[in-house]
Amino acid sequence: MFKKVESLIFTDDNYDEAVAFFRDKLVLEMPSESPDMVKFELNGFPIFVARAKEGAASFVTLESDNIESDYAVLQKRGIQFQEPLSTMKGGDKAAFFMGPAGMRFMLYQPSPEGS
């Protein structure tokens, strides 16, 4: 069903403070940066910090190699997605759902061109 835990994503409307925490306090490697997102790495595992318009959130990203099938299976198991499966800029596909204790998940499939 799932290929791997693809990454952790943190979104924050206090973006500069969030970036400074990972960069200056945790001193994680920072292989790439854009105006709205920074990629950090811990032993090669990606941790993203993204600019949010309002509030803060975190997501465990579960990579799928057949997102349509996994989406349907999870729905049959009672997972309620926050919005329908969508195609993002660049062709990646994603759907978001909540787990226990307020945990947030993103079911994710990269576009074939991005793989």
Side-chain angles (χ1 to χ4, degrees), residues 3 6 63-65 90-93 108-115:
K3 206 171 159 181
E6 193 273 337
E63 186 174 327
S64 170
D65 54 7
D92 296 351
K93 295 180 181 180
Y108 169 77
Q109 183 175 342
S111 71
E113 296 82 39
S115 298

Side-chain angles (χ1 to χ4, degrees), residues 34-76:
S34 70
D36 293 323
M37 184 178 289
V38 174
K39 178 182 180 182
F40 293 96
E41 287 187 351
L42 178 60
N43 291 328
F45 184 80
I47 300 170
F48 294 93
V49 176
R51 188 180 306 276
K53 292 183 181 180
E54 186 176 321
S58 58
F59 302 91
V60 175
T61 307
L62 302 173
E63 186 174 327
S64 170
D65 54 7
N66 187 339
I67 196 166
E68 288 83 2
S69 174
D70 291 343
Y71 182 84
V73 167
L74 290 173
Q75 282 187 311
K76 286 179 185 173

